[in-house]
């Protein structure tokens, strides 16, 4: 008998069906993503009773290891999360039953990602449903998909699925993204490829569609007639640290904008899909991204952190980080003004910003509502402070509506108030790293939260003018621990706007 049968799914609400049996083949088994995110996600799925008893997990990596060695090192890492408050996953304890379920289904193959024997070996070992997870450096995406195709591993026969999960970055510009799409789509159908954007695994991001389209209150104001401008922020306090080799040729624009920030943009700006069917949702997202006007150089600011402070400690500048050139022009910060050419949003500026080593860790979307055209409360400048609706995505999770109210007292004075909800006050928090839904959805074949080829290409097309111009351009310094470069304030000041403060982080 199986000593670690799948734990039971929770009773609350409608029971969620177990994913079908499959083999998950992880290329990059020794990598960071596997340890930090995929294993915790599998563990959480096992704890929720959502994995089939017959699931198998095969790790492939060129680093030497054995089945038992891999299992032990992952067990140690899982255990270490209980005392590491900085990890994405920090449970109080590891449930031995749920982890045992995952652990005993792990096997390891030391293989080269480019050697044909790797794939002929896998072909001999695999039957039925298989997910190939490419948790590897982007340069291996094309070669691995080719090799899977050559070995016949992507042929779907007798109802068995063959799927490939591709991590980011998907291409480094429009041309390379197109080339990669063309290359992989020679080997399988679009429906077999699951391009991940981990922001879509965040509950608070998925919830934006629910808040927008399941409530009657907000829809009527979601329009250029009522929304003055929108801010989308993904600010981090961490620096580039050990990731210099990846970050130097990448930079903040490629790392965050056409993927994560554009996904947030889609959630807040797309039209309502007719249904929640994957293609209906992805059609609307693609339409929205296609309506983003290519961003002119004058509407973009890039910055790079210099030495400064993080939480009271001195931290080095980007150019002092390991594997970074002493005269690097790579940006660690970007701020953009976007225009969307459609009837709903024409003329409404969407301001996007993201950066490392900033004053606070904040991911949020703020919609600034137009002030009433005339108000008995208007001050001498003829206006009242506009309302703001703020989706708090990370690390705070909730929604704020900032309004004007009467300040108690004999006079009719206004004060700013916030009507807020926190997810934790209403829903039981289940520890999650965001990859649970993505893995589960891939297993059940639901592509809603994955990026389709057309959206990826449209996003690269929108940022293409900047990629070209910035290849040669300089970069504005900002001190680590600050709000970013002065140019970013100036970008908004041009239209009388200001960024929301980042808080103390
Ligand atoms: C990753 C980027 O995709 O997203 C990182 O490569 C960034 O540079 C990270 O730090 C941010 O994700 P999150 O979920 O921590 O906000």
């Amino acid at each position: 008998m199986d000593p670690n049968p799948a734990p039971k799914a929770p009773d609350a609400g409608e029971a969620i069906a177990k994913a079908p049996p499959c083999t998950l083949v992880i290329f990059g088994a020794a990598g960071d993503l596997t340890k930090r995110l995929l294993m915790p996600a599998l563990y959480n799925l096992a704890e929720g009773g959502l994995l089939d008893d017959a699931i198998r997990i095969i790790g492939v990596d060129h680093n030497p290891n054995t089945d038992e060695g891999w299992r032990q090192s992952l067990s140690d890492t899982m255990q270490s999360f209980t005392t590491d408050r900085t990890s994405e996953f920090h449970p109080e304890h590891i449930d031995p039953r749920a982890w045992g379920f995952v652990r005993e289904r792990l096997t390891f193959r030391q293989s080269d990602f480019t050697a044909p024997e790797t794939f002929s070996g896998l072909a001999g070992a695999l039957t039925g449903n298989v997910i190939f997870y490419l948790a590897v450096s982007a340069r291996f995406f094309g070669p691995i998909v080719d090799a899977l195709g050559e070995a016949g591993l992507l042929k779907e026969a007798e109802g068995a699925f063959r799927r490939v999960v591709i991590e980011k970055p998907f291409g480094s510009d429009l041309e390379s993204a197109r080339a990669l799409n063309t290359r992989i789509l020679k080997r399988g159908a679009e429906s077999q490829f699951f391009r991940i954007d981990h922001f879509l695994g965040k509950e608070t991001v998925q919830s934006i569609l629910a808040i927008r389209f399941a409530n009657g209150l907000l829809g009527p104001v979601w329009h250029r007639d009522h929304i003055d401008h929108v801010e989308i922020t993904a600010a981090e306090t961490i620096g580039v640290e050990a990731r210099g080799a990846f970050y130097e040729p990448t930079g903040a624009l490629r790392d965050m904008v056409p993927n994560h920030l554009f996904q947030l943009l889609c959630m807040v700006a797309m039209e309502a899909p007719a249904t929640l069917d994957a293609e209906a949702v992805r059609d609307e997202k693609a339409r929205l991204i296609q309506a983003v006007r290519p961003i002119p150089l004058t509407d973009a600011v890039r910055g790079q952190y210099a030495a400064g402070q993080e939480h009271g400690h001195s931290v080095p500048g980007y150019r002092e980080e390991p594997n970074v050139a002493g005269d690097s022009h790579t940006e660690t910060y970007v701020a953009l003004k976007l225009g969307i050419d459609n009837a709903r949003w024409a003329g409404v500026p969407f301001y996007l910003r993201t950066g490392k080593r900033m004053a606070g860790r904040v991911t949020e979307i703020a919609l600034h509502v137009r002030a009433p055209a005339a108000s008995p409360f208007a001050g001498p400048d003829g206006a009242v402070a506009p309302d703001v609706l703020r989706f708090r995505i990370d690390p705070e999770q909730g929604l704020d509506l900032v309004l004007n109210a009467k300040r108690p007292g004999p006079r009719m004075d206004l004060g700013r108030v916030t009507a807020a909800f926190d997810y934790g006050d209403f829903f039981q928090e289940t520890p999650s790293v965001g990859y649970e839904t993505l893995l589960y959805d891939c297993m059940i074949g639901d592509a809603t939260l994955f990026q389709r080829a057309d959206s990826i290409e449209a996003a690269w097309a929108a940022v293409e003018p900047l990629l070209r111009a910035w290849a040669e351009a300089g970069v504005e310094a900002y001190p680590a621990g600050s709000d970013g470069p002065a140019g970013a304030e100036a970008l908004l000041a041009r239209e009388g706007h200001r960024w929301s403060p980042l808080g103390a982080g």
Side-chain angles (χ1 to χ4, degrees), residues 168 198-199 202 236 243 255-256 260 356 361:
K168 69 176 267 278
H198 82 272
F199 267 43
K202 296 177 193 275
E236 299 180 272
R243 297 172 74 216
D255 190 34
M256 296 292 290
H260 304 326
K356 301 222 178 270
R361 161 127 173 87

Short mmCIF file of all heavy atoms in Angstrom, two decimals, residues 168 198-199 202 236 243 255-256 260 356 361, ligand 1:
data_model
loop_
_atom_site.label_atom_id
_atom_site.label_comp_id
_atom_site.label_asym_id
_atom_site.label_seq_id
_atom_site.Cartn_x
_atom_site.Cartn_y
_atom_site.Cartn_z
N LYS A 168 9.71 32.49 -18.32
CA LYS A 168 10.18 33.70 -18.97
C LYS A 168 11.69 33.80 -18.84
O LYS A 168 12.24 33.11 -17.98
CB LYS A 168 9.48 34.93 -18.39
CG LYS A 168 9.88 35.26 -16.95
CD LYS A 168 9.23 36.51 -16.49
CE LYS A 168 10.10 37.72 -16.71
NZ LYS A 168 11.12 37.93 -15.66
N HIS A 198 4.44 34.43 -13.90
CA HIS A 198 4.04 34.04 -12.54
C HIS A 198 3.14 35.09 -11.86
O HIS A 198 2.47 34.78 -10.89
CB HIS A 198 5.26 33.71 -11.67
CG HIS A 198 5.94 34.91 -11.08
ND1 HIS A 198 6.92 35.61 -11.72
CD2 HIS A 198 5.76 35.54 -9.89
CE1 HIS A 198 7.32 36.61 -10.96
NE2 HIS A 198 6.63 36.60 -9.83
N PHE A 199 3.07 36.32 -12.39
CA PHE A 199 2.16 37.30 -11.80
C PHE A 199 0.71 36.80 -11.91
O PHE A 199 -0.13 37.15 -11.09
CB PHE A 199 2.29 38.67 -12.49
CG PHE A 199 3.27 39.59 -11.79
CD1 PHE A 199 4.48 39.12 -11.32
CD2 PHE A 199 2.96 40.94 -11.60
CE1 PHE A 199 5.38 39.96 -10.67
CE2 PHE A 199 3.85 41.79 -10.94
CZ PHE A 199 5.06 41.29 -10.49
N LYS A 202 -0.77 34.94 -9.02
CA LYS A 202 -1.10 35.64 -7.77
C LYS A 202 -2.61 35.77 -7.65
O LYS A 202 -3.27 36.25 -8.58
CB LYS A 202 -0.46 37.05 -7.75
CG LYS A 202 1.06 37.04 -7.76
CD LYS A 202 1.59 38.48 -7.81
CE LYS A 202 3.07 38.54 -8.12
NZ LYS A 202 3.96 38.39 -6.98
N GLU A 236 10.47 47.05 -5.93
CA GLU A 236 11.11 46.07 -5.06
C GLU A 236 12.19 46.75 -4.25
O GLU A 236 12.80 47.72 -4.71
CB GLU A 236 11.76 44.97 -5.90
CG GLU A 236 10.77 44.21 -6.76
CD GLU A 236 11.46 43.14 -7.58
OE1 GLU A 236 11.92 43.45 -8.68
OE2 GLU A 236 11.56 42.01 -7.10
N ARG A 243 22.22 37.96 -9.32
CA ARG A 243 21.67 37.69 -10.67
C ARG A 243 22.28 38.57 -11.76
O ARG A 243 21.71 38.73 -12.83
CB ARG A 243 20.15 37.89 -10.65
CG ARG A 243 19.43 36.92 -9.74
CD ARG A 243 17.96 37.29 -9.63
NE ARG A 243 17.20 36.97 -10.80
CZ ARG A 243 16.20 37.70 -11.28
NH1 ARG A 243 15.86 38.83 -10.69
NH2 ARG A 243 15.54 37.34 -12.36
N ASP A 255 12.84 42.56 -18.22
CA ASP A 255 12.57 41.65 -17.10
C ASP A 255 11.12 41.76 -16.61
O ASP A 255 10.55 40.78 -16.17
CB ASP A 255 13.55 41.98 -15.96
CG ASP A 255 13.54 40.96 -14.84
OD1 ASP A 255 13.35 39.77 -15.13
OD2 ASP A 255 13.71 41.36 -13.66
N MET A 256 10.57 42.95 -16.67
CA MET A 256 9.28 43.18 -15.99
C MET A 256 8.14 43.72 -16.85
O MET A 256 6.98 43.50 -16.54
CB MET A 256 9.49 44.19 -14.84
CG MET A 256 10.40 43.75 -13.73
SD MET A 256 9.76 42.41 -12.72
CE MET A 256 8.44 43.21 -11.82
N HIS A 260 5.15 40.96 -16.89
CA HIS A 260 4.38 41.17 -15.65
C HIS A 260 3.52 42.44 -15.68
O HIS A 260 2.33 42.41 -15.37
CB HIS A 260 5.31 41.25 -14.44
CG HIS A 260 6.19 40.05 -14.28
ND1 HIS A 260 5.80 38.79 -14.61
CD2 HIS A 260 7.46 39.93 -13.81
CE1 HIS A 260 6.79 37.94 -14.36
NE2 HIS A 260 7.81 38.61 -13.88
N LYS A 356 14.27 48.13 -8.92
CA LYS A 356 14.89 47.42 -7.81
C LYS A 356 15.50 48.45 -6.88
O LYS A 356 15.76 49.58 -7.27
CB LYS A 356 15.98 46.49 -8.34
CG LYS A 356 15.44 45.47 -9.33
CD LYS A 356 16.01 44.10 -9.10
CE LYS A 356 15.45 43.09 -10.07
NZ LYS A 356 14.24 42.43 -9.58
N ARG A 361 8.56 47.93 -0.96
CA ARG A 361 8.14 46.80 -1.80
C ARG A 361 6.64 46.92 -1.98
O ARG A 361 5.86 46.71 -1.02
CB ARG A 361 8.49 45.49 -1.10
CG ARG A 361 7.72 44.28 -1.63
CD ARG A 361 8.65 43.17 -2.02
NE ARG A 361 7.97 41.94 -2.38
CZ ARG A 361 7.53 41.66 -3.61
NH1 ARG A 361 7.63 42.57 -4.57
NH2 ARG A 361 6.98 40.50 -3.87
C1 LIG B 1 10.75 38.01 -11.90
C2 LIG B 1 11.89 38.92 -12.26
O1 LIG B 1 10.13 37.54 -13.07
O2 LIG B 1 9.83 38.72 -11.09
C3 LIG B 1 12.56 39.41 -11.01
O3 LIG B 1 12.85 38.22 -13.07
C4 LIG B 1 11.57 40.05 -10.07
O4 LIG B 1 13.61 40.33 -11.32
C5 LIG B 1 10.36 39.15 -9.85
O5 LIG B 1 12.22 40.28 -8.82
C6 LIG B 1 9.27 39.87 -9.09
O6 LIG B 1 8.26 38.97 -8.74
P1 LIG B 1 7.46 39.10 -7.37
O7 LIG B 1 6.42 38.02 -7.45
O8 LIG B 1 8.48 38.88 -6.29
O9 LIG B 1 6.89 40.47 -7.33
#
